[in-house]
Amino acid sequence: MVGLLVCLVVGGAVLVFAIGGTRWFSRHIAPVVYDMPGGSWAVGAVLGLLSLVGWAGVLSGRFDGFGGAGRTSGAWRVARIVARVVCGLAAVAPVVFLGSGLRGKHCRSYEPGCAYVSGTGPALFASVAVVGGLGWLYYRRRRAVVEERRARERARLRKLRKKGKGRSRRAGAGR
């Protein structure tokens, strides 16, 4: 019980400091990054791409076979977990960075930790546009591939039925 309590207290403290530190870091770095060539629009587009790549890494099954067949030792398992955690951080970090530049809720705008960071709005819009646009393109491409596969399967079954084979023959034999 004491171990669980210590884990909760230490984990909670680490979480609070991580969120606060990320917000502090983002609020100090964002104005510098938004003033670079390309401005906040380019930064938002790059952060949107980084988020997409992170989510693709988290959701894909590519790390399941990491290390080759038969390599199920502890080191390979740890490497897979680390790869997933890095991809998860790459997926979430841009959202946290962009969100920390927005005006804080329930605080006065003249406080330095609450004020709106100039350029956050266009960066957020660019990030959402990139993620939405590329997500829509991926969805359309994936649906086209699935429909093509279904069409090939229907054509194959039609050809088998013409020869007297296929589902119609199996359905008749089962009666």
Side-chain angles (χ1 to χ4, degrees):
M1 187 66 171
V2 172
L4 179 64
L5 186 61
V6 168
C7 285
L8 286 175
V9 169
V10 170
V14 167
L15 187 64
V16 165
F17 283 119
I19 291 171
T22 303
R23 185 166 173 83
W24 176 86
F25 175 77
S26 299
R27 289 185 108 12
H28 283 78
I29 296 297
V32 175
V33 174
Y34 293 154
D35 287 337
M36 293 177 76
S40 58
W41 293 95
V43 171
V46 168
L47 290 176
L49 284 173
L50 179 64
S51 185
L52 274 178
V53 169
W55 280 114
V58 167
L59 298 176
S60 74
R62 295 194 178 179
F63 299 123
D64 296 340
F66 185 67
R71 295 189 181 180
T72 57
S73 67
W76 290 108
R77 215 172 297 136
V78 168
R80 280 194 302 269
I81 291 170
V82 167
R84 288 270 168 120
V85 167
V86 166
C87 287
L89 287 174
V92 173
V95 175
V96 172
F97 181 81
L98 290 170
S100 66
L102 297 172
R103 186 172 143 336
K105 192 174 184 181
H106 304 300
C107 61
R108 295 168 200 87
S109 61
Y110 61 81
E111 293 178 7
C114 295
Y116 170 79
V117 176
S118 180
T120 301
L124 188 61
F125 180 74
S127 178
V128 168
V130 165
V131 169
L134 290 177
W136 179 76
L137 287 174
Y138 175 76
Y139 170 77
R140 295 290 297 170
R141 181 182 167 277
R142 188 73 195 133
R143 292 300 306 164
V145 167
V146 168
E147 288 301 321
E148 179 188 351
R149 189 177 300 138
R150 286 182 185 160
R152 273 191 270 131
E153 181 65 17
R154 282 193 304 265
R156 186 184 71 81
L157 288 175
R158 204 175 307 123
K159 196 184 281 186
L160 285 173
R161 279 190 217 113
K162 282 183 181 178
K163 292 181 180 180
K165 301 175 183 172
R167 287 188 183 171
S168 60
R169 185 174 178 191
R170 275 186 272 157
R175 290 183 186 170

